[in-house]
């Protein structure tokens, strides 16, 4: 189903792959894994390519087998204690990727700002006259005051502006409702219920408790439920209404007979009848069909907004090149944007939840019915009001390594409308050479945070558990933003 | 009953086989200096959840996990401002869209900017991670037909969004 040669857009996207030729620092990765995983412990890495147990590191750009083996050997040397590093990992600390206290690199990284900031600023920014960070900050460079934080020759360290509040506050925290979470093995039963409502008749395949799927033995309509932590989803697809129907049919026909909708050996019909589709339904019709489908599944969308998804977001027009008509296009016009479109896209959004738009449902509606649906589950319930740090404290927290490794983010926030967002980043001038004995440049730029907005955001834990928490969006008016979780430490359990 | 026990030797093979691919996933989507740390996190999760990795879809599973890891670790880069396009995403693996940060081809970047998070996610997995069919479906956590439909739509939008 690849049509790269026929599609310049996709070919250009492929050519723009920023990872071409990138090779990982396996030593660094294996250091992070040591003590948390048995990497290298099996002896599976070998020092010679004649070893029976050698494992080749698969690297598409390493053309010699020996190169791969040698890289692997370097990993083995580390994992077996021959690498001369001391991580001092602690048993049971694999939930939160903290850096061990005796790891000098962590000391360096955290103290670089707190202890060395003075000297670094003194020396590192002394070449400012050559047009680097300090000059950018003063606005004398080609960069305007409103530009997007580019041109700095090093990290921008936020400091609390004078007007920043030191008042603490409180904020509501939401967690997944236990009613909407699945217990082990429940996926299969849930799926069976949805399949029954849609009249899908097939054998439910349970793939380990958190993933299950079923395919109708006659028409190939398929359903899948997937659970990850506190998130779960239901996906529906009717291949007979799919624009790729004929392609899929051909694949099935050309397979060796065991090839099913979910891979070899999976259930499903060997052949389906593709449905002739009419023009894409208009807005009212598409919404009515989507609602009927949701009702058939007995999914409650009370309090949700059901609307047509415009092909482009309104922000497009800010960029130039966008067509204002698209942002508010009627479904009829949307056919102009994709003349081959066979479906109208319907989005069902929460409006009264703690984080509107976070769990949108998507449905593709054709003239003959819903061809595709993606439903997100997971009701969030209030856990109460929790203490929230002040904006000034939030600035300090940006530089606190403990809050950098387990991030919180604001999914509904974007900065499209900021002036200069689409400006090119200007590379700073290279640093001048230094004389022997002179301090090594380590340029840091301090920037005063002038605004702190408290939003609702997400903190995700390693197993997919998510909480909706207060998250600060800090900004300096120069185009730099920092998002940092707002919950005070007394509201957090640091137990590994 | 699995043919291969999910033991240390299995993990070594998994790591050796997929370290580069997972690392590149992050090179494409995150500040370069964080790619190793994030890749390590994916393999740490893989070890913890080793029993739930589908035998024949290891790499798509790793990519899906990578998308969650990326969400977890998301921080604003200091040198480039990136938008959070979260509200459009139908699922939770929201990318920080470092395409803005790392894609040098300005026209590609502009075209990607015009797409929804979901479309970008689908296209990157397809064009850069090379996933198709079932692999793409597994990485997206949806059905194979759904993935094909999502890819078809995303490609149509990319063509439309193309700056000519």
């Amino acid at each position: 189903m690849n049509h790269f040669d026929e599609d310049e857009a996709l070919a250009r996207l492929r050519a723009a792959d920023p990872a071409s030729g990138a090779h990982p620092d396996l030593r660094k990765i294996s250091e992070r894994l040591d003590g948390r995983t048995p990497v290298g412990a099996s002896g599976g890495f070998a020092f010679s390519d004649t070893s029976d147990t050698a494992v080749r590191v698969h690297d598409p750009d390493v053309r010699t087998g020996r190169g791969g083996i040698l890289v692997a050997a370097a990993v083995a040397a580390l994992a077996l204690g021959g690498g001369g590093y001391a991580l001092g990992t602690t048993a049971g600390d694999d939930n939160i990727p903290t850096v061990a206290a005796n790891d000098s690199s962590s000391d360096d990284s955290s103290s670089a700002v707190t202890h060395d900031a003075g000297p670094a600023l003194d020396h590192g920014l002394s070449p400012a006259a050559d047009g680097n960070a300090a000059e950018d900050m003063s606005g004398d460079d080609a960069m305007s005051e409103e530009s997007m934080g580019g041109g700095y020759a090093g990290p921008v360290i936020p400091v609390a502006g004078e007007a920043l509040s030191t008042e603490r506050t409180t904020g509501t925290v939401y967690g997944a409702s236990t009613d909407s979470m699945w217990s082990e093995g429940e996926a299969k039963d849930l799926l069976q219920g949805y399949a029954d409502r849609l009249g899908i008749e097939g054998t439910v395949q349970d793939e380990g408790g958190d993933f299950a799927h079923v395919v109708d033995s006659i028409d190939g309509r398929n359903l899948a439920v997937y659970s990850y932590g506190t998130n779960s989803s239901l996906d529906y697809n009717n291949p007979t209404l799919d624009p790729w129907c004929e392609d899929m049919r051909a694949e099935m026909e050309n397979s060796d007979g065991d090839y099913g909708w979910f891979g070899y050996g999976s259930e499903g019909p060997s052949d389906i009848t593709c449905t002739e589709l009419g023009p894409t339904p208009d807005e009212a019709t598409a919404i009515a069909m989507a609602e009927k489908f949701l009702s058939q599944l007995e999914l409650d969308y009370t309090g949700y907004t059901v609307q047509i998804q415009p092909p482009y977001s309104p922000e497009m027009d800010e960029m130039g090149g966008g067509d204002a008509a698209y942002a508010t296009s009627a479904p009829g016009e949307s056919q102009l944007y994709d003349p081959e479109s066979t479906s109208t896209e319907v989005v069902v959004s929460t409006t009264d939840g703690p984080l509107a738009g976070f769990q949108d449902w998507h449905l593709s509606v054709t003239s003959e019915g819903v061809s595709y649906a993606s439903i997100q589950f997971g009701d969030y319930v209030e856990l109460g009001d929790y203490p929230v740090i002040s904006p000034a404290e939030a600035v300090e927290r940006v530089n606190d390594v403990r809050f950098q490794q387990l991030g919180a983010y604001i999914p509904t926030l974007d900065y499209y409308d900021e002036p200069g967002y689409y400006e090119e980043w200007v590379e700073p001038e290279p640093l001048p050479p230094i004389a022997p004995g002179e301090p090594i440049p380590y340029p840091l730029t301090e920037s005063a945070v002038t605004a702190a907005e408290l939003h609702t955001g997400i903190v995700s834990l390693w197993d997919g558990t998510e909480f909706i928490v207060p998250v600060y969006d800090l900004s300096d008016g120069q185009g730099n933003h920092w998002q940092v979780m707002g919950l005070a430490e007394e509201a957090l359990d640091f137990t590994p | 009953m699995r043919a291969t026990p999910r033991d240390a030797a299995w993990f070594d093979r998994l790591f050796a086989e997929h370290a580069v691919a997972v690392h590149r996933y992050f090179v494409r989507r995150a500040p370069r200096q964080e790619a190793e740390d994030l890749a390590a996190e994916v393999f740490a999760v893989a070890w913890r959840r080793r029993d739930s990795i589908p035998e024949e879809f290891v790499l798509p599973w790793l990519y899906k996990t990578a998308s969650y890891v990326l969400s977890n670790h998301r921080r604003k880069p200091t040198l480039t401002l990136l938008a959070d396009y979260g509200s459009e995403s139908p699922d939770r693996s929201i990318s920080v869209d470092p395409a803005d940060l790392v894609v040098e081809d300005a026209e590609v970047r502009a075209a990607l900017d015009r797409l929804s998070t979901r479309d970008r996610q689908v296209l990157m997995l397809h064009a850069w991670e090379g996933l198709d069919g079932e692999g793409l479906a597994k990485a997206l956590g949806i059905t194979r037909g759904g993935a094909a439909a999502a890819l078809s739509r995303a490609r149509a939008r990319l063509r439309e969004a193309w700056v000519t």
Side-chain angles (χ1 to χ4, degrees), chain A residues 1-4 7 9-10 12-14 16-19 21-26 28-29 32-33 36-42 44-45 55-61 94 97 148-150 152 154-156 210-211 222 224 226 228 231 235 237 242 244 248 251 259 261-263 309 312 316 319-321 326 337-338 340 345 357-360 362 364 372 376 380 404-407 409-411 413-416 421-422 424-425 460-462 466 479-483, chain B residues 7-9 11-13 15-21 23-25 27-28 32-37 39-41 43-45 47-49 52 54 56-57 61 64-65 68 71-92 94 100 102-110 112-116 118 120 123-124 126-128 132-134 138 141-153 155-162:
Chain A
M1 287 199 288
N2 283 330
H3 303 289
F4 289 134
D7 190 337
L10 197 59
R12 284 282 294 277
L13 177 60
R14 289 179 75 216
D17 182 357
H23 305 283
D25 179 346
L26 292 175
K28 188 174 175 183
I29 296 179
R32 301 290 188 277
L33 293 173
R36 304 168 67 197
T37 73
V39 68
S42 72
F45 295 112
V55 176
R56 233 172 264 280
V57 172
H58 175 73
D59 190 331
D61 296 325
D94 62 349
M148 289 293 101
Y152 297 117
V156 180
D210 57 0
F211 178 63
N222 49 70
Y226 177 78
Y228 181 79
N231 307 314
D235 284 278
N237 176 244
D242 198 299
W244 290 69
M248 288 189 281
E251 256 190 48
Y259 197 79
W261 296 101
F262 292 93
Q309 175 177 282
Y312 292 146
M316 266 194 60
M319 303 167 48
Y326 285 139
Y337 120 86
D338 182 6
E340 296 173 8
E345 305 305 308
F358 184 47
Q359 290 192 299
D360 289 354
H362 287 244
S364 300
Y372 167 76
Q376 311 303 310
Y380 282 83
Q404 294 173 353
Q405 301 210 7
L406 203 63
Y409 64 98
I410 305 165
L413 198 62
D414 66 51
Y415 307 110
Y416 274 133
Y421 174 74
Y422 295 104
E424 287 291 315
W425 181 70
S460 300
L461 303 181
W462 66 270
E466 292 186 335
N480 291 298
H481 284 256
W482 297 269
Q483 293 184 9
Chain B
D7 56 8
F11 185 73
D12 274 348
R13 282 195 299 275
F15 179 71
E17 181 70 21
H18 299 302
V20 173
H23 174 258
R24 288 182 180 183
Y25 178 95
V27 169
R28 293 165 181 134
R32 179 67 181 79
Q33 66 274 18
E34 293 176 17
E36 271 89 6
D37 285 348
E41 211 48 46
F43 285 103
V45 174
W47 174 247
R48 280 195 301 265
R49 292 176 60 88
S52 63
E56 65 277 32
F57 293 109
W61 187 95
K64 186 166 185 64
T65 303
Y68 287 114
S71 295
N72 292 353
H73 288 255
R74 204 155 65 140
R75 286 179 287 150
K76 281 277 163 283
T78 52
L79 299 185
T80 306
L81 188 67
L82 304 176
D84 295 338
Y85 304 88
S87 59
E88 292 178 88
S89 177
D91 74 8
R92 319 305 286 279
I94 299 166
D100 298 336
V102 291
V103 176
E104 290 186 4
D105 186 326
E107 286 186 344
V108 171
R109 202 168 55 236
L112 285 173
D113 270 343
R114 290 180 164 81
L115 302 177
S116 70
R118 178 65 161 189
R120 264 191 300 271
L123 286 168
M124 287 179 180
H126 179 63
W128 291 349
D132 213 334
E134 288 167 79
K138 295 286 183 192
I142 60 176
T143 61
R144 189 163 163 276
L151 178 60
S152 171
R153 284 196 300 271
R155 289 183 57 173
R157 287 173 187 145
L158 178 68
R159 283 195 298 271
E160 180 63 27
W162 198 246

Side-chain angles (χ1 to χ4, degrees), chain A residues 29-362:
Chain A
I29 296 179
S30 62
E31 280 180 0
R32 301 290 188 277
L33 293 173
D34 187 75
R36 304 168 67 197
T37 73
V39 68
S42 72
F45 295 112
F47 291 89
S48 120
D49 54 4
T50 59
S51 165
D52 291 340
T53 58
V55 176
R56 233 172 264 280
V57 172
H58 175 73
D59 190 331
D61 296 325
V62 174
R63 297 298 173 206
T64 66
R66 184 162 181 82
I69 297 289
L70 291 175
V71 176
V75 176
L78 286 169
L80 298 173
Y85 67 93
L87 277 183
T89 50
T90 310
D93 68 347
D94 62 349
N95 285 3
I96 301 174
T98 52
V99 181
N102 66 342
D103 179 3
S104 62
S105 68
S106 73
D107 294 343
D108 290 349
S109 61
S110 58
S111 63
V113 172
T114 52
H115 300 305
D116 300 342
L121 287 169
D122 289 344
H123 300 292
L125 292 182
S126 56
D130 296 305
N132 71 359
E135 203 165 70
D136 291 338
M137 290 296 291
S138 67
D140 295 339
D141 198 52
M143 301 280 293
S144 73
E145 280 191 8
E146 294 181 332
S147 67
M148 289 293 101
Y152 297 117
V156 180
I157 310 302
V159 294
E162 285 180 13
L164 220 55
S165 169
T166 56
E167 292 289 316
R168 284 195 162 201
T169 181
T170 60
T172 309
V173 174
Y174 303 83
S177 160
T178 51
D179 294 342
S180 65
M181 288 171 66
W182 303 354
S183 53
E184 186 71 22
E186 201 181 345
K188 188 174 179 178
D189 296 337
L190 269 175
L191 185 64
Q192 188 65 64
Y194 290 119
D196 291 345
R197 288 165 208 162
L198 293 177
I200 292 176
E201 294 185 5
T203 306
V204 170
Q205 305 286 320
D206 193 348
E207 309 264 357
D210 57 0
F211 178 63
H213 55 82
V214 61
V215 187
D216 187 275
S217 56
I218 304 297
D219 62 16
R221 285 179 303 148
N222 49 70
L223 267 179
V225 290
Y226 177 78
S227 171
Y228 181 79
T230 49
N231 307 314
S232 52
S233 61
L234 172 71
D235 284 278
Y236 167 81
N237 176 244
N238 182 343
T240 69
L241 306 179
D242 198 299
W244 290 69
C245 182
E246 293 294 352
D247 292 88
M248 288 189 281
R249 273 195 74 234
E251 256 190 48
M252 294 287 180
E253 280 181 358
N254 297 330
S255 73
D256 57 10
D258 289 334
Y259 197 79
W261 296 101
F262 292 93
Y264 286 97
S266 69
E267 303 274 323
S270 56
D271 193 16
I272 58 172
T273 305
C274 297
T275 304
E276 186 82 24
L277 298 175
T280 54
D282 62 29
E283 182 168 349
T285 305
I287 288 174
M289 291 167 90
E291 289 179 338
K292 183 182 173 187
F293 179 81
L294 296 175
S295 299
Q296 194 178 352
L297 280 169
E298 297 177 21
L299 291 173
D300 183 8
Y301 54 93
T302 308
Y304 284 58
T305 299
V306 184
Q307 58 192 347
I308 299 296
Q309 175 177 282
Y312 292 146
S313 57
E315 291 86 357
M316 266 194 60
D317 298 317
E318 302 293 324
M319 303 167 48
D323 183 344
Y326 285 139
T328 55
S329 67
E333 289 171 320
S334 73
Q335 291 180 56
L336 296 173
Y337 120 86
D338 182 6
E340 296 173 8
S341 173
T342 56
S343 61
T344 302
E345 305 305 308
V346 176
V347 181
V348 184
S349 315
T350 52
T351 51
D352 58 353
L355 195 54
F358 184 47
Q359 290 192 299
D360 289 354
W361 304 350
H362 287 244

Side-chain angles (χ1 to χ4, degrees), chain A residues 160 163-169 388-397 449 451-453 472 474 484:
Chain A
L164 220 55
S165 169
T166 56
E167 292 289 316
R168 284 195 162 201
T169 181
V388 171
I389 57 176
S390 69
E393 288 174 294
V395 174
E396 288 178 27
R397 185 172 281 190
V449 172
E453 294 178 354
Y472 275 108
L474 307 172
V484 64

